[in-house]
Amino acid sequence: MIENVKLAIIGLGYVGLPLAAEFGKKISTLGFDINKSRIGELNDGIDKTLEVSPDELKQASKLSFSCDVSSLSECNVYIVTVPTPIDNHKRPDLTPLVKASEMLGKVLSKNDVVVYESTVYPGATEEVCVPLLEQQSGLVFNKDFFVGYSPERINPGDKEHRVTNILKVTSGSTPEMAEFVDQLYLSVIQAGTYKASSIKVAEAAKVIENTQRDVNIALINELALIFNRLDIDTEEVLKAAGTKWNFLPFRPGLVGGHCIGVDPYYLTHKAEEIGYRPEIILAGRRLNDGMGEYVASQLVKLMLKKLIQVGQSKVLVMGLAFKENCPDIRNTKVVDIIDELKSYGVTVDVFDPWVSKEDAVHEYGINLVNEPQQNHYDAVVIAVSHKQFKDMGVSKIRTLGKGDASVLYDIKYLFEADKVDARL
């Protein structure tokens, strides 16, 4: 049955491309994206997300790329990996998912299968996507076409946990379809699969994976706020507590990216829709969303202690990506630090060797510096723990500031406490 699959992956970002590359080694796979420049890059063997190497793309001999909707009609199984962000009011923005479903509805044929990987709230696949597929195709759900859901578990920049060695949750709209979807993924996922009892269960599993992490990080962030007032180094406390076998190794910091800072809002949206007001989840979100502003205010206090004129100061922020060693700037909370510092009248330079200058301008209007100037900054903030920053060493980073008259604030615990002016 798998041998007869003609697969299309819809959306070729951090999730879709690695999946397409793996399937493209085994079966006929079409990688589809509405971004023409993205398709052009991939046809040239270039992945600017750095998730798939040129060699890996070459190995996917059965993979082709297209932005032509008509090419999708040749396929019979579709995996949707489009983004599901939140809007300015922190509500789920299903626009990419809706458009993808409407587009697929126009090319669906009898017995076709659509599998969704995009993060959604429980029920969204069957309540939002399926009606659109029916409306556009004129076909009947679970009679003429079928759906599945298998939540993505991609970790951008992680070269150890790849798509093939992360266990995959699968589900389908009928027992037979659940088995088909499971077998489809088993053909490429070496770590194996876990077949959920329903699509709703699989959807819920995805949102709570990241909600759990978000709440745990929020607790550690709150502890950091408390320990700062007590003049205790948070990292030292966590190291001491970590000597107990069941203490969880979370660290304080900025919670951004496409998952942890977004997924909880999908769950709370659905909870409120059914009349339940979440307490712990939203409290964790509020706390984590406020960390960028807190970091900026702490830096300003450190600068004032050294009699630095904040309104006339120059600050270097090292790192713009939402996490270390990857170019992903989606929902990066480093921007919150930058914006808050600018509200104080600070001139902010941002340096990130991983991030595309074009992407930084397009997404946030930030012009990245090519190289930070020596002896130029009143303060330096290590906001992302890129390997390059660690390799620079604290002594070299210190030379970017104005000696003892400047501040070095390490919010990623990249260096020991006695080597910097402050840590988060």
Side-chain angles (χ1 to χ4, degrees), residues 1-277:
M1 193 172 182
I2 302 299
E3 294 76 20
N4 298 324
V5 167
K6 292 183 178 179
L7 180 65
I9 308 290
I10 313 301
L12 298 175
Y14 286 85
V15 175
L17 183 62
L19 194 65
E22 291 303 325
F23 274 116
K25 297 174 184 177
K26 301 283 185 73
I27 60 176
S28 173
T29 304
L30 174 66
F32 178 87
D33 201 291
I34 59 173
N35 187 332
K36 292 182 180 180
S37 62
R38 175 69 167 157
I39 295 300
E41 292 168 356
L42 293 174
N43 278 323
D44 290 336
I46 300 169
D47 171 29
K48 69 177 184 179
T49 71
L50 306 181
E51 291 298 308
V52 179
S53 69
D55 285 343
E56 289 172 321
L57 285 174
K58 287 180 182 178
Q59 291 169 19
S61 59
K62 298 182 179 182
L63 172 63
S64 60
F65 301 106
S66 176
C67 57
D68 182 359
V69 176
S70 64
S71 63
L72 294 172
S73 60
E74 301 174 5
C75 302
N76 52 24
V77 177
Y78 305 89
I79 297 179
V80 179
T81 60
V82 298
T84 44
I86 53 175
D87 63 19
N88 292 332
H89 302 288
K90 303 189 186 304
R91 295 175 303 199
D93 179 4
L94 296 178
T95 302
L97 198 63
V98 166
K99 289 184 176 180
S101 298
E102 290 175 338
M103 177 186 71
L104 288 178
K106 294 174 182 177
V107 299
L108 276 187
S109 299
K110 193 172 177 61
N111 295 321
D112 282 359
V113 179
V114 182
V115 182
Y116 291 90
E117 287 209 5
S118 306
T119 300
V120 291
Y121 52 78
T125 299
E126 291 155 298
E127 295 167 9
V128 177
C129 301
V130 166
L132 293 171
L133 294 173
E134 285 188 312
Q135 178 185 338
Q136 296 296 325
S137 68
L139 301 175
V140 178
F141 174 51
N142 276 345
K143 177 184 176 184
D144 300 322
F145 74 93
F146 305 88
V147 301
Y149 185 80
S150 180
E152 60 89 2
R153 282 177 166 171
I154 293 294
N155 187 26
D158 191 337
K159 301 306 179 184
E160 179 182 353
H161 300 97
R162 308 295 300 276
V163 63
T164 57
N165 59 21
I166 300 174
L167 193 141
K168 201 87 165 68
V169 173
T170 65
S171 65
S173 55
T174 67
E176 295 77 17
M177 191 48 50
E179 180 63 19
F180 170 78
V181 172
D182 197 64
Q183 291 300 314
L184 177 65
Y185 280 104
L186 269 176
S187 69
V188 295
I189 305 297
Q190 298 168 6
T193 59
Y194 177 91
K195 187 161 56 175
S197 60
S198 69
I199 287 176
K200 283 186 178 181
V201 167
E203 291 168 327
K206 170 58 179 174
V207 288
I208 72 164
E209 286 175 17
N210 289 315
T211 299
Q212 183 187 66
R213 284 182 56 78
D214 192 43
V215 171
N216 275 290
I217 296 170
L219 170 62
I220 302 301
N221 274 337
E222 187 161 60
L223 293 176
L225 304 186
I226 295 170
F227 294 144
N228 179 61
R229 294 191 177 200
L230 294 172
D231 198 25
I232 303 173
D233 186 85
T234 302
E235 175 72 358
E236 295 302 317
V237 175
L238 295 175
K239 282 182 178 179
T243 59
K244 188 179 180 186
W245 73 92
N246 60 353
F247 187 83
L248 301 177
F250 289 94
R251 288 297 182 270
L254 306 176
V255 185
H258 70 301
C259 282
I260 300 180
V262 173
D263 293 1
Y265 288 120
Y266 274 76
L267 182 57
T268 57
H269 166 81
K270 188 62 177 179
E272 290 175 337
E273 193 177 75
I274 59 173
Y276 179 79
R277 171 72 177 176

Side-chain angles (χ1 to χ4, degrees), residues 151 335 339:
V335 172
D339 289 344

